[in-house]
Amino acid sequence: MDRLVNTVRPYAWGSLTALPELLGQEPTGEPQAELWMGAHPGDPSRADRGEGPRRLDELIAADPEGELGAASVARFGPSLPFLFKVLAAGIPLSIQAHPTPDQARAGFAAENALGLAPDAPERSYRDDNHKPEMVCALGDFEGLCGFRRPAGAAALMAALGVPGLDPLIALLAVGEDGGAEAEAEALRRTLATLLTLDDETAARTVRETVAALAGTDPDGPHAPYARIAKDFPDDRGVIAGLLLNHVRLRAGEALYLGAGVPHAYLSGVCVELQANSDNVLRAGLTPKHIDVPELLKVVLFEPGAPEVVHPVPVEGTPGERLYPVPIDEFRLSRFQLDGVQREIDGRTPQILLCTEGAVRLTAADGAVLDLARGQSAFLPATGTPTRLSGTAGTLFRATVTV
């Protein structure tokens, strides 16, 4: 077992207080957005095995099968397949989508061929992997997820009475005989038109939309978009957001986002588990690079309400509750410790994170590691079980399915 030393990324949208509170630290006065736990080369965790702190990606590279297990290496290759985070949103994140594996490989190769540096701001592909993800709320959490039905998006826009939105509303019109393909095409045309408007027209329409949102009912359907407009009063993403569903999660509820699903996290704290990638195609609510043609290739234009994921008991592992996902590269579950000792399998690599109270980990050889709130551990795939104990602890378990 390795206690992890993790990096906090200070993106501008981060909360000033949430991560310091979780970690038991004093706020720095600067936004703190993401706590990274894993072996992504962008900010790998560190572990000390008696010779000083070493990067987790380097430890894994030195002995992939010893760290990850033969089954994981055979299935996913010689690197940790997932990246685990705590995400704290003080203001909205960008509206974004993530590529499929084929899109990621092609996009990464194309940007390499252009000679773009790995950290170039105009890059969309920072690696060749896809980035499905799951977020699980640690408290009240808000976001935008997936497209509204075109008629619903048109009604939301029309209620604002902004003339500049009329061309977009017209694009969202789908005839009575229109089916799924017609709805998808209407959404694609609308987003493409919005993102390619000339700057003068776009600025005027955004300005009028922001003014109209300011006058809407603070408890009505426009309320989340009015809050977005306060933080991004000059951004086309204010209008793009009206195309997306608003969703609220309570503590313990989760969302799974597959490739191409447009989304933006608005406020709150969550744990996020994703494939080991940092590939993002943005559509707004950001000063960062927006590659419209590439975004339109990646986005999945399928309307429908997002499905909230609730945890289910795991057969054979008392006390463990699993958040089901349709992929094997990551597996997220949660333990609520109540004084009863639990045991977890040791055949796969895993990261354990304590989010409430305290948890004691006891290895098969008797070694003990205590985790306080905000602390995490890496468990190599030794094949032996680890015991969990505590009277009032919440522990999230990130691993793989093989």
Side-chain angles (χ1 to χ4, degrees):
M1 298 182 293
D2 297 296
R3 186 186 303 280
L4 293 178
V5 177
N6 304 305
T7 297
V8 173
R9 287 201 160 191
Y11 301 134
W13 50 261
S15 167
L16 298 177
T17 59
L19 284 180
E21 181 182 349
L22 176 72
L23 299 171
Q25 300 172 352
E26 289 296 318
T28 64
E30 299 295 326
Q32 297 191 31
E34 294 181 347
L35 176 73
W36 280 31
M37 296 165 285
H40 191 283
D43 262 323
S45 301
R46 280 88 64 206
D48 190 340
R49 295 181 175 175
E51 300 176 351
R54 291 188 61 191
R55 292 166 49 126
L56 186 57
D57 57 339
E58 293 177 351
L59 290 171
I60 291 171
D63 183 12
E65 288 200 2
E67 301 292 340
L68 305 176
S72 181
V73 172
R75 182 74 187 278
F76 307 113
S79 58
L80 191 66
F82 60 82
L83 176 60
F84 201 18
K85 299 178 182 178
V86 180
L87 183 152
I91 63 172
L93 282 68
S94 60
I95 298 173
Q96 58 190 257
H98 308 301
T100 65
D102 287 345
Q103 289 168 340
R105 286 190 288 269
F108 185 62
E111 291 184 346
N112 285 345
L114 292 173
L116 295 179
D119 58 350
E122 62 271 32
R123 257 195 184 270
S124 296
Y125 296 94
R126 301 191 180 279
D127 51 66
D128 62 357
N129 199 13
H130 66 157
K131 191 176 178 280
E133 63 193 42
M134 169 166 272
V135 293
C136 179
L138 297 183
D140 291 339
F141 190 81
E142 282 190 272
L144 304 178
C145 181
F147 284 106
R148 294 176 178 271
R149 302 294 293 271
L156 199 66
M157 289 184 182
L160 295 174
V162 175
L165 293 177
D166 288 344
L168 301 180
I169 295 169
L171 290 171
L172 290 167
V174 177
E176 292 183 3
D177 57 346
E181 290 186 7
E183 288 195 317
E185 179 59 19
L187 291 166
R188 189 199 66 78
R189 289 199 312 265
T190 304
L191 183 63
T193 298
L194 169 63
L195 296 180
T196 55
L197 283 175
D198 67 88
D199 290 343
E200 181 179 349
T201 301
R204 181 177 64 253
T205 306
V206 170
R207 187 167 58 248
E208 293 172 352
T209 302
V210 169
L213 285 167
T216 56
D217 182 351
D219 297 317
H222 292 93
Y225 307 97
R227 293 195 296 271
I228 292 170
K230 290 180 180 179
D231 291 313
F232 294 92
D234 304 313
D235 197 299
R236 301 178 197 218
V238 172
I239 300 173
L242 294 166
L243 299 171
L244 306 182
N245 298 291
H246 176 239
V247 60
R248 282 192 175 94
L249 300 180
R250 296 175 295 178
E253 295 180 331
L255 284 175
Y256 172 75
L257 299 105
V261 176
H263 59 282
Y265 304 135
L266 303 182
S267 65
V269 182
C270 68
V271 295
E272 180 181 40
L273 185 57
Q274 60 181 71
N276 193 31
S277 172
D278 198 23
N279 288 328
V280 180
L281 283 300
R282 297 176 176 86
L285 307 185
T286 180
K288 294 182 179 179
H289 175 60
I290 296 177
D291 184 338
V292 175
E294 194 68 23
L295 173 76
L296 295 175
K297 291 180 190 175
V298 165
V299 168
L300 188 64
F301 291 98
E302 289 185 2
E307 181 179 346
V308 175
V309 181
H310 296 91
V312 297
V314 177
E315 185 177 352
T317 310
E320 185 178 24
R321 297 183 67 85
L322 174 70
Y323 293 89
V325 294
I327 64 169
D328 294 335
E329 282 142 293
F330 61 74
R331 177 187 184 278
L332 181 67
S333 61
R334 186 186 68 187
F335 288 86
Q336 299 286 154
L337 297 172
D338 53 6
V340 178
Q341 192 170 88
R342 309 296 187 187
E343 187 173 275
I344 56 175
D345 185 275
R347 292 175 294 176
T348 56
Q350 49 202 307
I351 292 176
L352 306 181
L353 168 69
C354 177
T355 58
E356 290 292 342
V359 179
R360 170 163 288 187
L361 314 179
T362 305
D365 62 3
V368 170
L369 181 61
D370 291 318
L371 297 182
R373 186 169 185 253
Q375 294 183 333
S376 58
F378 173 68
L379 276 60
T382 61
T384 58
T386 297
R387 297 193 301 277
L388 313 177
S389 57
T391 57
T394 300
L395 186 80
F396 282 90
R397 180 191 186 199
T399 185
V400 298
T401 300
V402 295

